[in-house]
Amino acid sequence: MDTDVSQVGWIPVALNNAVQAGSAIRVIAGTDDIALWRGKDGVAHAWENRCPHRGMRLSYGTVCGNRLRCLYHGWIYDGSGTCVAIPAHPDLTPPQTIKVRTYRCVEAGALIWISDEDNSAPAIDGHWTPCRSLHIEVAMPDLPEILKWTKVNSVRPLSTYAADVALPDQGRLILAVHPMGSKGAMLHCALPASARRDSLLSASHWLGELRSRIEQAAVV
Amino acid sequence: MTPDPFTLSHWYAIGRIEDFPNGYKGEHRILSTDIAVSHHGELNVTGPEGSMGVQTRYGHVWTTLSRDPRPLYNMPEFEEEGRRLVTAGAIAVRCSGLRAVENFLDMAHFPFVHTGILGVEEHAEVEKYDVSMGAAGDEIWATKCRFFQPMAAAAAEGGQVIEYRYRVAHPYSTILYKTCPLRDGHWDLIGLFIQPTEEDECIVHSFVLVFDEHNTDTDLLHFQQNIFLQDRMVLENQVPNKLPIDPRWEMPTRAVKSHGVTWSTTRFEKVA
């Protein structure tokens, strides 16, 4: 499924603990390759994973304070994606036109969401804690399709890609799906912040079983 | 995509001479074309249209898909007494061979990719250098390239400002002439003979041709392999993995453009 990020609204691309302050990771969202990084100030950024200079994936870069430095030539970009330093030419003020393409990036429900659009981010009440992310080796199924494979007491959609669900045995959790084009999809699961260790383990186990059912259904 | 005439007109290295001993028979690939190589008394290379040109030079076996190839460029240093040739073998890289040439010609990445070896972050500045075409108009030289290096070669002790000359002898062949740390007035040579297998895949054959009495072949090999593996991590993570053609890009791209090279390149505008 070729999902273009620009046409689908907010996509949950990771649990909020997948990228720690001072680090960068690579995520795929639809057909887009994205560098997800978090400055020392804790703010998460989602950028096109490509340095405008020589195309190097910025997810290999180094977070310096609240800026990202490309691995290849050390070009430094501020939080807005604008190039602020070119080490090979220290006396040059980089032209403002050297700018990484950025996505909007917010955190809600223990998830990091990205979007290309100006519409408002999913409103998710309460405090949540990250539980588990799993890769599924099948083309992205719709969230209602996925929920057919498990018993639910109630479903409250949060967006196209996430729902606040109540399960008979697990209680309440957020289930999110995140399309990755030809690379399958990710399932993300978050629990209320009050969840204890046994609830997290149980939800983690449930998510693993859900993945098996989705993948088996895809094979049949 | 069919290779453009300029790309087709060259000789390409497909391996070291010792990789094709008498009795050898094997399948190889250049420019998205299967070729068969055999050695029974003499080397034979066969492509889709029959027997192809073959020659051994600079420690390697070269072939061409062209019936009327441009002559293979000269490197008289290979005749000089006292030099040692060390080859690093074939390294497959999932990128355009032109990307590998671009990387090889680029001093600005030394402090960040080869930190503590070919550069340090405190000396990241690239000073102005000269660029000229070779006598026949089909080569490019970059001269008076100067860069501070903490450990410029396996034989180097301590940091020094090294003078470089870069030569792009053909689109997939590039040689670095580097001040010899042991012998004044001489240059050490390090070069890449790139075998483009697909538009976005290549095999890099490399050599060093140096005056160095202290290091073993293994020392020289390890130094080169260390550098190449650091570069490979970059080359396989550039988007797109073909070389974008755009006026903002530097020296190697200008060369590519002036000869109408299209194979293994991509228009910048198409990069989504």
Side-chain angles (χ1 to χ4, degrees):
Chain A
M1 167 172 166
D2 280 352
T3 309
D4 184 336
V5 172
S6 65
Q7 291 162 13
V8 295
W10 291 85
I11 298 182
V13 294
L15 289 169
N16 62 6
N17 63 349
V19 57
Q20 300 290 324
S23 67
I25 62 168
R26 180 186 181 193
V27 294
I28 306 288
T31 51
D32 293 8
D33 193 335
I34 290 163
L36 196 62
W37 65 278
R38 201 188 280 284
K40 291 281 192 291
D41 59 7
V43 176
H45 302 267
W47 290 0
E48 181 182 21
N49 201 4
R50 178 176 189 282
C51 178
H53 175 221
R54 285 289 182 269
M56 181 66 193
R57 288 199 169 98
L58 287 167
S59 53
Y60 282 80
T62 309
V63 178
C64 304
N66 300 318
R67 297 166 160 184
L68 186 65
R69 190 181 77 174
C70 179
L71 173 105
Y72 198 174
H73 299 92
W75 288 26
I76 298 172
Y77 298 91
D78 70 12
S80 75
T82 306
C83 182
V84 292
I86 296 176
H89 304 291
D91 299 331
L92 178 81
T93 303
Q96 294 279 307
T97 47
I98 304 177
K99 196 171 187 309
V100 183
R101 185 183 155 216
T102 61
Y103 298 81
R104 295 180 68 206
C105 182
V106 301
E107 299 189 52
L111 290 158
I112 300 175
W113 300 76
I114 68 151
S115 175
D116 241 3
E117 297 173 353
D118 286 335
N119 56 2
S120 54
I124 299 174
D125 295 335
H127 297 284
W128 297 83
T129 192
C131 176
R132 190 180 188 186
S133 293
L134 281 179
H135 181 224
I136 48 175
E137 296 274 355
V138 294
M140 225 290 287
D142 291 337
L143 194 54
E145 282 293 313
I146 285 177
L147 289 169
K148 279 185 194 164
W149 302 107
T150 188
K151 283 201 183 82
V152 291
N153 289 345
S154 69
V155 176
R156 188 172 70 87
L158 300 168
S159 83
T160 313
Y161 297 113
D164 181 343
V165 296
L167 306 176
D169 302 325
Q170 316 296 331
R172 203 174 149 211
L173 54 79
I174 291 174
L175 178 66
V177 289
H178 148 202
M180 299 198 299
S182 60
K183 294 180 172 63
M186 295 294 291
L187 298 176
H188 305 289
C189 172
L191 263 61
S194 58
R196 294 214 308 255
R197 185 180 147 80
D198 56 345
S199 306
L200 287 162
L201 282 173
S202 166
S204 170
H205 180 70
W206 167 80
L207 195 70
E209 288 193 335
L210 182 61
R211 169 170 70 178
S212 300
R213 289 191 204 111
I214 296 165
E215 289 183 344
Q216 279 162 18
V219 170
V220 175
Chain B
M1 182 179 189
T2 310
D4 56 85
F6 190 71
T7 300
L8 275 173
S9 70
H10 292 283
W11 289 90
Y12 292 96
I14 55 171
R16 298 172 295 192
I17 294 168
E18 61 265 36
D19 297 330
F20 303 93
N22 203 19
Y24 179 87
K25 201 167 187 286
E27 301 293 319
H28 295 257
R29 197 160 167 86
I30 57 167
L31 304 175
S32 302
T33 304
D34 288 327
I35 56 173
V37 182
S38 63
H39 187 177
H40 299 286
E42 62 178 30
L43 275 166
N44 280 293
V45 180
T46 312
E49 289 166 32
S51 190
M52 293 156 51
V54 59
Q55 60 175 310
T56 53
R57 225 169 147 190
Y58 312 138
H60 289 73
V61 173
W62 300 74
T63 188
T64 176
L65 292 182
S66 174
R67 293 287 169 210
D68 182 23
R70 287 160 190 271
L72 183 55
Y73 54 90
N74 278 318
M75 277 194 286
E77 293 82 3
F78 271 78
E79 314 299 325
E80 283 179 8
E81 289 288 322
R83 285 185 181 270
R84 287 168 57 196
L85 173 68
V86 177
T87 52
I91 299 177
V93 187
R94 275 173 292 178
C95 73
S96 158
L98 300 172
R99 280 273 196 208
V101 171
E102 173 188 74
N103 167 269
F104 191 78
L105 299 173
D106 174 1
M107 288 182 287
H109 79 285
F110 290 168
F112 303 98
V113 178
H114 310 296
T115 315
I117 305 171
L118 300 184
V120 288
E121 287 179 28
E122 300 75 56
H123 296 273
E125 182 166 9
V126 176
E127 293 171 35
K128 224 174 133 44
Y129 52 88
D130 294 340
V131 180
S132 57
M133 297 294 279
D138 53 2
E139 288 197 5
I140 295 169
W141 285 82
T143 54
K144 298 182 187 157
C145 308
R146 292 165 60 80
F147 206 73
F148 177 87
Q149 303 206 312
M151 197 179 121
E157 282 178 28
Q160 54 190 318
V161 174
I162 294 286
E163 187 175 340
Y164 277 1
R165 311 175 73 188
Y166 284 107
R167 176 184 183 189
V168 187
H170 87 38
Y172 292 88
S173 218
T174 179
I175 304 113
L176 168 61
Y177 297 70
K178 196 173 194 172
T179 341
C180 175
L182 300 180
R183 214 181 266 211
D184 285 344
H186 283 79
W187 301 90
D188 282 341
L189 270 61
I190 300 168
L192 304 184
F193 304 139
I194 295 168
Q195 175 187 353
T197 47
E198 309 296 339
E199 285 193 87
D200 57 0
E201 284 178 26
C202 64
I203 298 171
V204 179
H205 308 278
S206 65
F207 70 89
V208 293
L209 186 69
V210 294
F211 295 104
D212 181 340
E213 287 144 18
H214 302 299
N215 287 287
T216 63
D217 284 4
T218 306
D219 293 336
L220 292 171
L221 178 70
H222 284 177
F223 184 84
Q224 289 308 314
Q225 285 187 336
N226 191 24
I227 299 297
F228 290 145
L229 292 177
Q230 290 173 337
D231 282 325
R232 183 184 179 183
M233 187 262 296
V234 168
L235 291 169
E236 296 196 336
N237 279 291
Q238 282 179 276
V239 183
N241 54 8
K242 290 191 265 184
L243 185 71
I245 300 285
D246 184 275
R248 282 173 298 172
W249 298 59
E250 295 170 39
M251 202 184 67
T253 309
R254 280 192 214 140
V256 158
K257 283 190 85 170
S258 68
H259 287 292
V261 172
T262 52
W263 197 78
S264 208
T265 70
T266 184
R267 301 298 299 185
F268 194 78
E269 295 76 16
K270 285 185 188 165
V271 180

